[in-house]
């Protein structure tokens, strides 16, 4: 029997491994882990705050798999990722991912995901045609060098189904929102449990475990979004990814990395429709209001930043940088020239292929961003007749798409050569501190992450997040087997944990009758109002859209003061129902994530990602002093982040990347 609102039933469970999240990474982990756990008596459970079939970033589906290596060299993949993220990534992680990722794509196809193919004449067919599978040598339709096209509306259903089958539905619990991790009583650098609540019933769950995979996605809605009012809730990355991964890891003491990095995608305006297929598959160009291709017009601007105009494809932030220049100079709006692109394709493709492509132009959106189709229909846009506006969005924090913020994890042991051991047992090809035993384990023992959680290795996308979950799964099983005698003990009492989680409900029940208007009360703040406050601070002081992504040390100081007060006031959030309890804790996670972002930007005295954000007081890239990781650790006692530098090293020769 579930408890009452304000007096929840408390359910305590002990497992060996808890998977937190049900997105691409946890689906990968849940599938893979059963293979390694076979024959052991390990108890494994997955909890997701939503329904796995449609949870996470792939909820609406996708129309491309952005990471498929195929016949290419994983080292080239590592080079591309490094270039796109301005030279500061972990080659050990990206190379490792590159050599593993295709196996996940082959599994997706086996499970029923339709993947576009080229036939023996080089003609394109969508996935329903049933041509040779990729793993048997079938040729994918590449939109770009690394991306392949799919019919992916049901992508997440397909992937989730395989995980459910592997794990057994009895080991999967949906609608459980994890609020915080709990450290071990006997070792503050070890994880021992997690606590969360049901979003459907008055229940609090307290889990104890040896290891957990924290893969709860990235962070959206920490900045004021471009879509407000009636469009509120529309964003590019999913609004339900609320920074839980970063916030919970930080509170548990895990080291974060590159939290200054963000992703500001250029998207079709208002609907946030993806641009990749347009640029790469349809070969469309983005133009200013005068019809000029700004990537050509402003190409000299690339010489100011590494690799100084030499990259085959300029980094995503630099592409934004050139676009923003046009907007600031008054040559906006910016358009995707769909008209010219489709006309050009008509000249080279067969009529059947043209028809297919025109349908795909719509399907590209229908598969993963239905709202954009609504805009096209509502604004009478036929892409072959009318160009569509592009716009850089509000910033998002993520580690799996074209961003690289996240948690600092242990890398593979065998990447690079030679593999001689140093005295300390660290293979000497790896810089010290990049490997401490278990792949994907954070600096907190037993706490693993994947997908958006892993920092310094972007461009994994859906397939890579799945593969990374699988890598973590294998390592977690090993960790549990190596630590068979470990008995996790929570450092906080269950009563205290329950009280903390239900505090917003208590605050509401205690004070609700003080006023006649439920939302207006001197004793509490609604989660929605608090979210507006967070977004306003971030937008105006931490380089949001309000300032064209500009900030400086003084503005960051103001932000710091305001965020500290906001964090204090967050303790006064109310929850009038379980939905608001979810909103309250999501906001709390957003605030901690936002604070990390702000502190890292404050610490890094340069503008490493022009086009994503600018520090106007250090408006340059400083290779000598800042070609390094910025990492941080949160102290939950003092409630402050401390940032520090960690050395960067290229394990893969990057000169090959350049023209
Ligand atoms: O067009 C809690 N992505 C694309 N990847 C591709 O391969 N191809 C594309 O075409 C892609 N594009 C794209 C993409 C994403 C989006 C939103 C759009 C377009 C519009 C990126 C991938 O989707 C992304 O890389 C992966 O999904 C990341 O995987 P992961 O596992 O790190 O995150 P998730 O899938 O969002 O899952 C998060 C899960 O956590 C749950 N959760 N559970 C319990 N407690 C909590 N506190 C929780 N908080 C969150 C969520 O419910 C979810 O299950 S395109 O732009 O290039
Ligand atoms: P997007 O739709 O922007 O998320 O992009 C999907 C994929 O295409 C990602 O791998 C991007 O890095 C890549 N991409 C998008 N735009 C471009 C571009 N103009 N040039 C090269 N790659 C791009």
């Amino acid at each position: 029997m579930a408890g009452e609102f304000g007096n929840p039933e408390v359910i305590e469970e002990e497992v060996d491994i808890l998977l937190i999240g049900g997105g691409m990474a946890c689906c990968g982990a849940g599938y893979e882990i059963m293979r390694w756990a076979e024959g052991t008596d390990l108890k494994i459970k997955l909890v997701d705050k939503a329904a796995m079939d449609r949870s996470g970033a792939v909820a609406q589906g996708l129309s491309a798999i952005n990471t498929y290596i195929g016949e290419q060299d994983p080292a080239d993949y590592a080079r591309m990722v490094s270039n796109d993220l301005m030279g500061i990534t972990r080659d050990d992680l990206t190379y490792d991912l590159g050599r593993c990722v295709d196996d996940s794509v082959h599994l997706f196809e086996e499970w029923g995901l339709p993947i576009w193919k080229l036939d023996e004449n080089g003609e394109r067919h969508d996935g329903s045609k049933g041509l040779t599978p990729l793993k048997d040598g079938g040729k994918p339709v590449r939109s770009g060098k690394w991306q392949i096209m799919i019919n992916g509306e049901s992508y997440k259903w397909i992937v989730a189904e395989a995980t459910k089958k592997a794990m057994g539905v009895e080991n999967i619990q949906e609608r459980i929102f994890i609020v915080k991790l709990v450290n071990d009583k006997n070792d503050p650098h070890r994880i021992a449990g997690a606590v969360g609540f049901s979003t459907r019933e008055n229940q609090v769950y307290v889990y104890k475990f040896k290891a957990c995979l924290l893969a709860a996605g990235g962070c959206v809605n920490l900045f004021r979004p471009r879509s407000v009012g009636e469009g509120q809730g529309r964003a590019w990355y999913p609004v339900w990814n609320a920074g839980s991964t970063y916030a919970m890891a930080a509170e548990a003491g895990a080291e974060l990395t590159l939290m200054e990095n963000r992703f500001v995608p250029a998207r079709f305006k208002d609907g946030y429709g993806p641009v990749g297929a347009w640029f790469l598959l349809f070969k469309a160009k983005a133009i200013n209001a005068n019809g000029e291709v700004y990537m050509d017009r402003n190409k000299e601007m690339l010489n100011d930043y590494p690799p100084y105009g030499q990259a085959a494809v300029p980094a995503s932030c630099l592409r934004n940088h050139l676009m923003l220049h046009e907007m600031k100079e008054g040559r906006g709006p910016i358009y995707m020239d769909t008209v010219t692109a489709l006309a050009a394709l008509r000249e080279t493709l067969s009529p059947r292929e043209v028809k297919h492509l025109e349908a795909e132009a719509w399907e590209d959106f229908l598969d993963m961003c239905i709202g954009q189709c609504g805009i096209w229909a509502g604004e009478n846009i036929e892409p072959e007749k009318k160009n569509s506006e592009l716009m850089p969005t509000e910033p998002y924090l993520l580690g799996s798409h074209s961003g690289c913020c996240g948690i600092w994890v242990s890398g593979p042991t065998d990447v690079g050569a030679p593999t001689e051991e140093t005295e300390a047992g660290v293979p000497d090809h790896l810089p010290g501190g990049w490997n401490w035993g278990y792949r994907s384990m954070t600096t907190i023992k037993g706490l693993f992450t994947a997908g958006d959680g892993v920092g310094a290795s972007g461009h994994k996308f859906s397939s890579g997040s799945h593969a990374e979950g699988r890598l973590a799964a294998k390592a977690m099983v090993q960790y549990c087997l190596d630590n068979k005698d470990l008995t996790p003990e929570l450092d906080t009492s269950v009563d205290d944990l329950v009280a903390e989680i239900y505090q917003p409900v208590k605050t509401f029940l205690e004070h609700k009758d003080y006023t006649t208007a439920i939302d207006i009360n001197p004793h509490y703040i609604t989660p929605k109002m608090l979210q507006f406050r967070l977004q306003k601070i971030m937008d105006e002081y931490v380089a949001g859209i309000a300032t064209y992504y500009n900030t400086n040390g003084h503005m960051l100081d103001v932000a710091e003061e305001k965020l500290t007060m906001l964090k204090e006031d967050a303790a006064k959030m109310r929850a009038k129902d379980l939905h608001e309890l979810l909103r309250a804790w999501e906001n709390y996670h957003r605030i901690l994530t936002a604070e990390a972002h702000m502190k890292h930007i404050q610490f890094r005295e340069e503008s490493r990602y022009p086009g994503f954000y600018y520090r106007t007081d250090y408006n340059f890239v400083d290779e000598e002093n800042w070609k390094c990781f910025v990492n941080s650790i949160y102290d939950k006692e003092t409630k402050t982040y401390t940032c520090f530098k960690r050395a960067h090293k290229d394990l893969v020769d990057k000169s090959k990347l350049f023209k």
Side-chain angles (χ1 to χ4, degrees):
M1 253 304 281
E4 296 154 17
F5 193 56
N7 185 22
E9 180 190 7
V10 179
I11 298 158
E12 293 183 55
E13 281 185 35
E14 186 155 350
V15 294
D16 291 288
I17 299 174
L18 187 72
L19 309 179
I20 302 174
M24 289 307 286
C26 276
C27 279
Y31 167 79
E32 183 73 21
I33 206 160
M34 303 318 286
R35 305 205 288 175
W36 300 97
E38 209 182 305
T40 70
D41 54 1
L42 293 179
K43 197 164 166 4
I44 297 154
K45 180 157 188 171
L46 182 151
V47 288
D48 187 352
K49 83 182 207 188
M52 244 169 88
D53 290 334
R54 287 278 177 201
S55 70
V58 185
Q60 279 189 71
L62 297 175
S63 64
I65 288 179
N66 284 346
T67 308
Y68 182 71
I69 308 294
E71 284 153 15
Q72 305 177 84
D73 181 355
D76 277 337
Y77 166 73
R79 287 185 181 95
M80 176 278 288
V81 179
S82 163
N83 176 65
D84 202 67
L85 292 161
M86 300 302 281
I88 309 176
T89 47
R90 290 249 317 252
D91 287 341
D92 61 331
L93 300 176
T94 52
Y95 182 87
D96 194 29
L97 200 272
R99 65 184 171 170
C100 298
V101 61
D102 288 6
D103 195 62
S104 278
V105 180
H106 297 163
L107 285 173
F108 300 156
E109 189 170 32
E110 194 182 311
W111 297 333
L113 179 71
I115 294 181
W116 287 27
K117 296 281 166 47
L118 290 175
D119 67 16
E120 54 287 0
N121 304 318
E123 242 199 82
R124 294 162 171 172
H125 298 274
D126 73 22
S128 59
K129 174 92 175 173
L131 292 171
T132 313
L134 290 179
K135 75 168 171 18
D136 299 330
K139 295 265 170 296
V141 173
R142 283 223 176 259
S143 37
K145 193 168 160 59
W146 307 102
Q147 304 82 356
I148 62 174
M149 298 301 294
I150 59 174
N151 298 95
E153 189 278 339
S154 302
Y155 190 4
K156 186 68 201 305
W157 269 91
I158 292 168
V159 171
E161 187 182 42
T163 305
K164 287 183 182 172
K165 190 160 173 251
M167 292 190 71
V169 283
E170 66 285 5
N171 296 313
I172 295 173
Q173 205 170 352
E174 296 179 335
R175 314 275 182 202
I176 302 290
F177 183 83
I178 300 295
V179 174
K180 65 187 282 177
L181 302 176
V182 189
N183 295 82
D184 197 278
K185 195 174 169 181
N186 307 307
D187 180 355
H189 299 294
R190 191 183 287 281
I191 209 69
V195 55
F197 63 93
S198 163
T199 61
R200 286 288 187 271
E201 292 172 284
N202 298 304
Q203 293 171 325
V204 171
Y205 283 83
V206 182
Y207 300 99
K208 264 200 254 177
F209 45 70
K210 287 193 175 68
C212 84
L213 180 68
L214 174 62
C219 192
V220 178
N221 265 347
L222 69 168
F223 281 86
R224 180 155 46 199
R226 286 200 184 272
S227 299
V228 294
E230 105 291 351
Q232 176 82 34
R234 188 185 295 155
W236 164 71
Y237 220 54
V239 291
W240 44 85
N241 279 6
S244 297
T245 311
Y246 312 126
M248 290 196 274
E251 280 197 314
E255 190 172 323
L256 304 181
T257 187
L258 295 175
M259 289 302 289
E260 65 275 30
N261 179 268
R262 51 168 71 177
F263 184 37
V264 175
R267 283 291 176 268
F268 282 93
K269 187 170 177 297
D270 300 331
Y272 294 84
V275 299
W278 277 98
F279 278 131
L280 303 178
L281 184 71
F282 304 134
K283 313 276 181 246
K285 302 263 191 216
I287 53 176
N288 66 17
N290 304 329
E292 295 163 309
V293 176
Y294 58 80
M295 287 304 294
D296 297 337
R297 186 186 203 280
N298 298 336
K299 107 167 160 272
E300 301 294 305
M301 288 172 66
L302 296 173
N303 298 339
D304 297 337
Y305 296 101
Y308 310 106
Q310 296 303 303
V313 179
S316 300
C317 67
L318 291 175
R319 300 200 298 266
N320 275 17
H321 178 56
L322 271 51
M323 177 200 265
L324 284 168
H325 180 72
E326 292 305 287
M327 301 177 100
K328 288 187 210 160
E329 297 267 301
R331 287 186 290 276
I334 302 296
Y335 291 98
M336 180 73 89
D337 188 356
T338 59
V339 177
T340 308
L342 290 177
L345 284 169
R346 239 175 256 123
E347 284 170 17
T348 55
L349 296 178
S350 69
R352 195 196 66 80
E353 283 181 301
V354 168
K355 200 158 167 263
H356 185 212
L357 267 184
E358 281 179 1
E360 178 57 23
W362 284 90
E363 199 187 321
D364 186 37
F365 294 156
L366 285 170
D367 273 353
M368 61 174 153
C369 189
I370 299 161
Q372 189 67 50
C373 288
I375 300 229
W376 271 6
E379 296 189 354
N380 296 339
I381 294 175
E382 293 173 67
E384 63 276 27
K385 295 190 186 141
K386 189 175 172 185
N387 291 336
S388 292
E389 254 187 84
L390 294 181
M391 189 62 131
T393 66
E394 62 279 358
Y396 306 105
L397 266 63
L398 42 81
S400 74
H401 201 284
S402 311
C404 61
C405 73
I407 309 169
W408 188 247
V409 300
S410 176
T413 49
D414 66 328
V415 170
T419 52
E420 293 148 42
E421 303 261 311
T422 60
E423 268 172 50
V426 180
D428 73 356
H429 57 273
L430 283 172
W434 285 16
N435 172 274
W436 49 96
Y438 300 96
R439 172 66 159 101
S440 304
M441 193 167 83
T442 68
T443 52
I444 293 296
K445 283 170 249 169
L447 174 59
F448 292 72
T449 190
D452 279 326
V454 174
S457 74
H459 287 266
K460 293 170 274 207
F461 298 104
S462 60
S463 47
S465 299
H466 191 268
E468 208 168 37
R470 296 172 66 196
L471 289 169
K474 184 179 167 188
M476 282 192 293
V477 170
Q478 185 67 56
Y479 174 87
C480 286
L481 297 178
D482 291 348
N483 289 281
K484 266 207 154 92
D485 300 329
L486 191 80
T487 312
E489 276 188 78
L490 305 184
D491 72 359
T492 314
S493 76
V494 169
D495 284 351
D496 285 355
L497 291 169
V498 175
E500 187 181 345
I501 285 192
Y502 257 62
Q503 181 60 47
V505 173
K506 194 171 164 213
T507 302
F508 172 71
L509 293 175
E510 257 176 38
H511 300 293
K512 69 180 173 46
D513 298 327
Y514 190 78
T515 60
T516 51
I518 194 169
D519 288 345
I520 299 161
N521 198 304
H523 299 287
Y524 58 64
I525 179 166
T526 68
K528 192 172 181 172
M529 298 307 281
L530 188 111
Q531 191 184 63
F532 285 145
R533 230 174 103 188
L534 169 69
Q535 292 179 344
K536 187 169 161 63
I537 297 168
M538 295 303 286
D539 187 35
E540 294 176 354
Y541 298 98
V542 194
I545 53 177
T547 61
Y548 265 121
Y549 313 102
N550 286 314
T551 186
N552 63 37
H554 301 291
M555 293 173 92
L556 292 166
D557 288 346
V558 179
E560 183 161 22
E561 205 183 328
K562 287 181 188 284
L563 283 178
T564 307
M565 285 188 230
L566 184 73
K567 209 155 73 172
E568 276 170 33
D569 287 355
K572 302 264 173 54
M573 265 190 290
R574 71 137 204 231
K576 70 172 167 36
D577 48 37
L578 287 177
H579 186 73
E580 268 199 351
L581 189 59
L582 173 77
R583 289 285 179 258
W585 284 113
E586 284 178 342
N587 278 342
Y588 183 72
H589 290 166
R590 283 194 182 96
I591 294 172
L592 280 187
T593 305
E595 193 185 358
H597 188 47
M598 182 275 294
K599 289 299 290 177
H600 276 238
I601 291 179
Q602 193 180 48
F603 186 80
R604 184 179 277 284
E605 294 181 334
E606 62 158 2
S607 296
R608 177 60 53 172
Y609 309 105
F612 286 174
Y613 80 82
Y614 303 89
R615 276 210 51 170
T616 50
D617 42 358
Y618 298 100
N619 205 352
F620 45 77
V621 164
D622 177 353
E623 287 285 85
E624 204 180 311
N625 296 303
W626 289 100
K627 184 145 189 216
C628 61
F629 300 101
V630 170
N631 286 11
S632 66
I633 293 181
Y634 188 73
D635 179 340
K636 66 179 169 191
E637 303 306 325
T638 60
K639 298 189 186 305
T640 50
Y641 282 97
T642 304
C643 292
F644 52 94
K645 289 182 177 184
R646 270 198 188 267
H648 175 266
K649 190 173 187 312
D650 283 317
L651 301 179
V652 171
D653 172 16
K654 300 290 160 46
S655 56
K656 247 191 88 181
L657 178 83
F658 308 134
K659 283 183 223 163

